């Protein structure tokens, strides 16, 4: 039979796999064909695994025996910073060339137990630093909706793989918007779960106090399925939480959720077209019965500055482990051990990674530590307090996901600060640790092409259920 | 204002070799980023440091894997090994 993957979802595929309308092997073959056709141009995948059909066959055997889980036989892609035992994982960096993961990340272990099919690993900004996937050591990932534009980042390859119908879903990681921004640029659904909602064990560390793994899918229902498959407390990551950490006091079943809009942050930076799409979405929410209120987040303007102090600080510490001795690249020409370190790190890290390590070293160095790092931590707490207060008055906070549509490849390449500003709406959720989802909300026509744009909902800690509830209503699922 | 020498010093601390030209190019880039993040100095009031709800907790230092379970996989990832040792250049 013919499988139409352009409209296929995880929930549809589940029904058809279970009804034996097609097998997991059939499904995997269709995806492998599509990847072969499109990946050369888009560059979403860095590697297609050579045992995809064997994995799918195993899934089919499980289905035949009635051992069926929500993700059994579902083909997905993985961001290149999630460890999967025995396979190459590089964070799209030269410094990890040839690195073979010695163990499975917790999310992989969970998905393997459901017999999920892994298609391959996807391109990203090196060590997840960037918002365009232009910082990859293996070339840019193009936006499937307009090949002259970036896919966004850092999970650009993961998002593009779903958007181009090269995977039914994908796992990305989000430190400051790395799942949501590309999802907005490519017209798919991207969820950044609550910090600690999904184990970071086996995720290559970037900003350890902000990083979280999350699903990239075509629908909100699919996002919920994949999130439920990977979530949960893990003894290997002590920052994961139990159900009692953030008790769910309020239930929304019998009332409509209220939505707060911090209109004061939308006054600058947002393009006119993007503002129009956002205003239409707010009207839609009102028509769906949501009460919309204007809210204030007094310190939110400092979020981006706080973020670009905390992240480089954590980056400079986390990336100290790459020395050319334990794994990956080793520069051949050093005269002694120290020289080996210096040369390996010079040759192995790309420009943005080097830049962030230097900034992190600066903000942590004696004399500047108090003015930058400690001050940023104090402000982070104030911002968290503002959000807690706002989220006691409304159930959800909504903003655009990005200030505008996907930009042209190369447009921001020589101006790192202008690229950082793309994260202005997404970083607060990471700073506060709350969950946030980006949903496709409309299109802006540029150069004769309809470019997608996303809307972002944020909820209190551990209230992904509210994001799914509003998301399904918003997208009419 | 950050200087070229500051950049070289940071690079030394961070164990990254940096060429003269790169240090020169990095001056305006890092300057503009530090200028931007420096706005937090204007933020008024300090808040008391509280211990976050989620934080790192060390596990007991006990062996949880069988002998040699990961040895080959880990050693094989090293660019240079000799027997069961990682090989490095002379230190002194």
């Amino acid at each position: 039979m013919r499988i139409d993957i352009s409209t296929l979802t995880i929930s549809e595929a589940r029904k058809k796999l279970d009804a034996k309308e097609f097998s997991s092997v059939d499904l995997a073959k269709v995806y492998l064909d599509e990847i072969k056709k499109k990946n050369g141009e888009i560059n979403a995948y860095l590697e297609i695994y050579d045992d995809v059909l064997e994995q799918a066959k195993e899934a089919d055997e499980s289905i035949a025996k009635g051992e069926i889980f929500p993700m059994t036989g579902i083909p997905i892609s993985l961001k290149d910073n999630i460890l999967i035992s025995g396979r190459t994982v590089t964070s799209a960096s030269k410094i990890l060339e040839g690195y073979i993961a010695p163990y499975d990340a917790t999310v992989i272990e969970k998905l393997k137990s459901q017999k999920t099919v892994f298609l391959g690993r996807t391109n990203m900004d090196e060590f997840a630093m960037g918002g365009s996937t232009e910082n990859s050591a293996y070339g840019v990932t193009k936006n499937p909706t307009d090949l002259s534009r970036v896919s966004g980042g850092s999970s650009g390859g993961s998002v593009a793989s779903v958007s181009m119908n090269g995977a039914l879903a994908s796992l990305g990681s989000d430190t400051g918007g790395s799942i949501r921004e590309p999802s907005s640029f490519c017209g798919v659904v991207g969820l950044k779960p609550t910090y600690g909602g999904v184990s970071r064990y086996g995720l290559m560390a970037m900003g350890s106090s902000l990083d979280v793994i999350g699903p990239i899918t075509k629908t909100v229902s699919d996002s919920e399925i994949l999130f439920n498959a990977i979530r949960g407390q893990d003894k290997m990551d002590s920052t994961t939480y139990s159900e009692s950490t953030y008790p769910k006091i309020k239930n929304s079943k019998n009332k409509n959720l209220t939505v707060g809009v911090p209109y004061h942050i939308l006054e600058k930076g947002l393009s006119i077209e993007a503002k129009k799409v956002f205003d239409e979405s707010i009207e839609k929410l009102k028509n769906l019965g949501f009460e919309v209120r204007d809210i204030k987040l007094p310190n939110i303007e400092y979020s981006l500055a706080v973020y670009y102090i905390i992240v480089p600080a954590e980056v400079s510490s986390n990336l100290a482990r790459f020395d050319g001795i334990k794994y990956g690249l080793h520069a051949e020409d050093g005269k002694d051990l120290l020289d080996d370190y210096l040369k390996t790190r010079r040759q192995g890290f790309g420009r943005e990674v080097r830049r962030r390590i230097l900034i992190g070293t600066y903000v942590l160095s004696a004399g500047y530590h108090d003015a930058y790092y400690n001050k940023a931590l104090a402000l982070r707490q104030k911002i968290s307090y503002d959000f807690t207060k706002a989220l006691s008055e409304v159930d959800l906070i909504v903003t655009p996901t990005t200030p505008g549509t996907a930009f042209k490849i190369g447009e921001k390449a020589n101006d790192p600060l202008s690229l950082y500003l793309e994260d202005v709406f997404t970083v607060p959720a990471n700073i506060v640790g709350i969950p946030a989802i980006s949903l496709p909300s409309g299109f802006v026509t540029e150069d004769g092409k309809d470019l997608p744009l996303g809307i972002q909902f944020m909820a209190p800690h551990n209230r992904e259920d509210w994001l799914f509830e509003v998301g399904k209503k918003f997208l009419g699922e | 204002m950050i200087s070229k020498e500051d950049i070289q010093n940071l690079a030394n601390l961070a164990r990254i070799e940096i060429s003269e030209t790169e240090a020169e190019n990095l001056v305006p880039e890092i300057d503009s980023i530090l200028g931007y993040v420096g706005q937090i100095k204007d933020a008024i009031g300090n808040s008391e440091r509280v211990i976050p709800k989620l934080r790192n907790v060390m596990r007991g230092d006990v062996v949880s894997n069988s002998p040699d379970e990961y040895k080959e996989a880990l050693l094989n990832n090293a660019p240079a090994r000799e027997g069961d040792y990682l090989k490095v250049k002379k230190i002194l």
Side-chain angles (χ1 to χ4, degrees):
Chain A
M1 71 163 293
R2 213 186 140 263
I3 307 172
D4 180 12
I5 50 171
S6 67
T7 54
L8 195 66
T9 60
I10 296 178
S11 30
E12 265 316 290
R14 175 82 281 123
K15 281 183 212 147
K16 294 186 168 161
L17 284 167
D18 297 351
K20 313 280 191 303
E21 279 186 44
F22 53 70
S23 69
S24 177
V25 170
D26 296 334
L27 188 60
K29 277 182 182 161
V30 179
Y31 278 101
L32 290 174
D33 279 350
E34 194 70 10
I35 294 166
K36 206 180 277 172
K37 260 185 259 166
K38 290 182 177 163
N39 198 54
E41 194 156 45
I42 292 170
N43 195 30
Y45 282 92
L46 293 178
E47 181 189 354
I48 311 297
Y49 298 140
D50 56 11
D51 63 342
V52 172
L53 295 179
E54 284 89 64
Q55 294 179 53
K57 197 164 162 272
E58 269 189 52
D60 281 332
E61 285 162 11
S62 281
I63 295 169
K65 282 188 280 187
E67 289 163 9
I68 301 169
F69 303 94
M71 290 300 292
T72 307
I74 303 294
I76 71 165
S77 63
L78 298 172
K79 189 173 180 176
D80 192 27
N81 59 354
I82 300 172
L83 301 197
I84 172 160
S85 182
R87 300 185 197 265
T88 304
V89 189
T90 72
S91 260
S93 178
K94 268 196 285 186
I95 211 159
L96 273 174
E97 223 165 50
Y99 174 70
I100 310 284
Y103 64 94
D104 280 330
T106 298
V107 293
I108 298 296
E109 206 177 277
K110 282 172 182 268
L111 289 172
K112 275 186 177 173
S113 75
Q114 297 202 6
K115 293 273 190 292
T116 309
V117 175
F118 303 106
L119 292 164
R121 60 187 168 94
T122 57
N123 200 12
M124 56 187 281
D125 284 299
E126 185 180 1
F127 287 107
M129 294 176 212
S132 65
T133 312
E134 289 169 295
N135 294 335
S136 166
Y138 303 99
V140 66
T141 295
K142 293 177 185 168
N143 191 317
T145 63
D146 177 349
L147 296 175
S148 69
R149 292 174 190 271
V150 300
S151 55
S154 66
S155 310
S158 281
V159 167
S161 74
V162 175
S163 166
M164 74 180 199
N165 294 314
L168 204 34
S170 187
L171 286 185
S173 65
D174 192 311
T175 307
S178 282
I179 287 175
R180 290 160 287 157
E181 186 240 27
S183 293
S184 171
F185 284 179
C186 297
V188 300
V189 175
L191 172 73
K192 171 232 168 305
T194 307
Y195 177 73
V198 178
S199 173
R200 289 181 292 116
Y201 182 65
L203 171 71
M204 289 189 197
M206 200 251 274
S208 303
S209 73
L210 305 138
D211 295 339
V212 62
I213 297 174
I216 295 146
T217 53
K218 285 185 191 163
T219 65
V220 175
S221 311
D222 282 2
S223 186
E224 190 173 11
I225 292 169
L226 187 46
F227 171 65
N228 283 331
I230 59 172
R231 66 178 304 192
Q233 196 169 23
D234 179 16
K235 68 172 171 29
M236 302 307 281
D237 174 2
S238 64
T239 58
T240 51
Y241 60 81
S242 70
E243 277 307 303
S244 61
T245 312
Y246 300 116
K248 290 179 177 169
I249 308 157
K250 262 201 285 184
N251 202 323
S252 69
K253 282 287 169 252
N254 298 313
K255 63 161 200 133
N256 248 332
L257 297 168
T258 53
V259 176
V261 186
Y263 277 108
H264 65 102
I265 63 164
L266 304 182
E267 282 155 17
K268 51 183 178 186
L270 201 57
S271 77
I272 298 163
E273 297 80 12
K275 181 73 170 43
K276 193 167 159 275
V277 170
F278 182 70
D279 288 341
E280 284 165 7
S281 298
I282 296 299
E283 279 311 304
K284 188 173 171 182
L285 285 170
K286 286 180 186 164
N287 292 335
L288 287 167
F290 290 94
E291 188 195 328
V292 178
R293 277 192 232 161
D294 186 11
I295 56 160
K296 295 271 181 289
L297 295 162
N299 294 292
I300 196 172
E301 58 187 298
Y302 294 116
S303 311
L304 205 58
V306 165
Y307 179 82
Y308 277 104
I309 290 170
I310 292 175
V311 165
E314 295 188 11
V315 159
S316 71
S317 315
N318 274 327
L319 271 61
R321 74 192 71 185
F322 299 105
D323 56 5
I325 304 297
K326 297 189 283 291
Y327 24 62
L329 182 85
H330 173 85
E332 295 298 333
D333 46 349
K335 60 181 186 297
D336 53 23
L337 184 65
L338 177 63
D339 209 32
D340 274 4
Y341 293 159
L342 294 167
K343 290 196 158 61
T344 298
R345 287 162 69 79
R346 191 217 138 68
Q347 290 168 25
F349 290 138
R351 274 181 72 85
E352 175 65 11
V353 173
R354 294 203 298 270
R355 194 153 48 215
R356 287 206 199 183
I357 290 174
L358 295 184
I359 292 170
T361 308
Y362 181 84
V363 299
L364 288 176
S365 56
Y368 298 104
H369 191 274
D370 276 334
Y372 288 96
Y373 186 66
N374 283 350
K375 182 86 185 191
L377 288 186
L379 269 172
R380 180 179 192 175
Q381 214 160 282
K382 282 184 107 174
I383 296 164
S384 297
Y385 173 76
D386 291 347
F387 270 79
T388 308
K389 191 163 168 286
L391 286 168
S392 67
E393 290 154 11
V394 294
D395 299 312
L396 299 162
I397 296 173
V398 62
T399 68
T401 309
T402 49
T405 54
F407 45 90
K408 296 264 186 190
I409 292 167
E411 194 181 318
K412 296 175 194 271
N414 294 316
D415 187 357
L417 187 57
S418 80
L419 189 57
Y420 291 1
L421 296 175
E422 286 292 313
D423 301 336
V424 66
F425 297 122
T426 49
V427 295
N430 299 81
I431 286 178
V432 181
I434 51 175
I437 197 166
S438 177
L439 311 173
S441 62
F443 295 91
V444 171
T445 310
E446 278 173 57
D447 310 334
K449 286 215 166 105
D450 286 339
L451 304 175
L453 207 54
I455 185 170
Q456 172 183 238
F457 291 88
M458 293 175 262
H461 293 93
N462 197 27
R463 288 319 308 235
E464 282 82 357
D465 55 334
W466 287 357
L467 297 179
F468 298 138
E469 186 182 327
V470 70
K472 285 176 198 170
K473 283 184 189 159
F474 187 82
L475 293 182
E477 287 178 27
Chain B
M1 269 300 269
I2 199 156
S3 69
K4 208 172 74 182
E5 290 67 39
D6 293 334
I7 301 272
Q8 283 293 4
N9 181 40
L10 289 173
N12 280 335
L13 290 170
R15 300 280 189 256
I16 302 175
E17 187 183 82
I18 272 181
S19 70
E20 276 286 297
T21 18
E22 192 180 4
E24 255 163 53
N25 293 335
L26 278 165
V27 168
E29 287 174 8
I30 291 190
D31 231 22
S32 76
I33 294 165
L34 288 177
Y36 180 82
V37 300
Q39 63 169 290
I40 66 157
K41 292 180 198 158
D42 307 331
I44 16 167
N46 262 313
S47 54
E48 212 182 307
R49 283 276 280 276
V50 291
I51 296 168
K53 219 168 189 167
L54 304 177
R55 61 184 199 281
N56 265 323
V57 181
M58 295 296 181
R59 277 195 301 275
D61 187 15
V62 286
V63 179
S64 57
N65 52 289
S66 53
D68 295 350
E69 188 181 347
Y70 294 106
K71 192 178 81 182
E72 282 305 307
L74 292 173
L75 283 169
N76 284 337
N77 265 322
R81 71 180 274 194
E82 206 171 281
D84 286 348
Y85 294 94
L86 298 183
K87 201 172 153 188
V88 298
K89 288 205 180 101
K90 71 177 172 63
I91 294 165
L92 294 171

